[in-house]
Every structure is written in C-alpha cells, then in structure tokens.
C-alpha cells in the first residue's frame, strides 16, 4: 500500500504542476492564485473523501491512498507559506495578509462543503 501512496503522491504533484503552470500563464498579478486554487480544490476533495470514509462508502486504504497520496502531492501548504513570505518581503503587506486569511479560511470552508456534498447525496 505504501507504494500506491507514493505513486499517487507523484501523480498529485504532476497535477499540481500542470495546474500551476496553466494558471500562471494567464494570471500576471502578485497574488498567488494558482496555489490558492489548487489548495482549495484539494481541500474540497479531502472533505469529500473524509465523509466517504466516515459514512463507510470508501474503505480506509482507498481513503489513505487518495488523501495522503494524491491530495497530499497535489496540495502544498509550504508553497503557500513561501508565497506569503515573498509578498511580505516585497512590501505587499495587505496582499500577504489577505492571502494568509484566504489560505486558512477557503480550504477549511471547501473541506466542509465537500463533506456536506457527500452527506447530502448519500
């Protein structure tokens, strides 16, 4: 199972890279939109997976492979922190603060929405 988690983590990392490059091609602003969007999407999917596991529609191994592997590779909190520091170092104080709040609040909200979607449709 560990090998599957690692393979899925690599796949998630590739998805993040493609997503990041695609967003950055059309987004030419200081705000790090690509990282925020990928973390929001991963959080939504993690909420769905957690609900699926809690409601016994997904087994533990599948949940672990998807959440720890694929979504763990896809999402990136360390890049978000680095982008916050870069914004602050470049004296984009309000943008850094807004990004900090968005990086915490939006993924939490999306994880809850993912959970609720599964709860409502089961």
């Amino acid at each position: 199972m560990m090998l599957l988690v690692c393979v899925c983590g690599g796949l998630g990392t590739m998805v993040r890279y493609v997503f990041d490059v695609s967003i950055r091609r059309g987004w030419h602003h200081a705000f790090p939109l690509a990282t925020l969007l990928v973390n929001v999407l991963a959080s939504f999917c993690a909420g769905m997976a957690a609900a699926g596991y809690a409601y016994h529609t997904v087994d533990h191994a599948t949940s672990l492979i998807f959440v720890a592997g694929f979504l763990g590779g896809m999402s990136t909190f360390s890049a978000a922190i680095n982008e916050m520091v870069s914004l602050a170092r470049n004296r984009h104080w309000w943008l850094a603060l807004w990004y900090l709040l968005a990086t915490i609040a939006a993924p939490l909200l999306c994880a809850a929405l993912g959970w609720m979607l599964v709860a409502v449709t089961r």
Side-chain angles (χ1 to χ4, degrees):
M1 176 154 75
M2 184 186 286
L3 181 60
L4 280 174
V5 171
C6 292
V7 168
C8 287
L11 292 172
T13 301
M14 290 184 339
V15 167
R16 178 180 70 224
Y17 176 77
V18 170
F19 192 83
D20 188 66
V21 169
S22 299
I23 295 290
R24 288 177 193 257
R25 282 187 180 159
W27 182 257
H28 306 289
H29 303 283
F31 186 80
L33 182 64
T35 302
L36 180 63
L37 290 178
V38 78
N39 286 341
V40 162
L41 179 61
S43 296
F44 181 77
C45 293
M48 290 176 60
Y53 178 69
Y55 294 128
H56 306 290
T57 57
V58 176
D59 66 23
H60 178 69
T62 303
S63 178
L64 184 65
I65 290 166
F66 182 64
V67 175
F70 184 77
L71 295 177
M74 187 176 129
S75 61
T76 174
F77 191 70
S78 59
I81 296 300
N82 185 50
E83 289 165 343
M84 281 178 230
V85 170
S86 293
L87 286 169
R89 283 191 5 214
N90 290 322
R91 300 188 190 279
H92 296 290
W93 305 111
W94 289 110
L95 201 54
L97 179 61
W98 192 87
Y99 186 58
L100 170 67
L101 296 174
T103 296
I104 295 168
L108 282 172
L109 178 63
C110 287
L113 289 173
W115 182 292
M116 289 186 332
L117 178 65
V118 170
V120 169
T121 59
R122 58 177 222 114

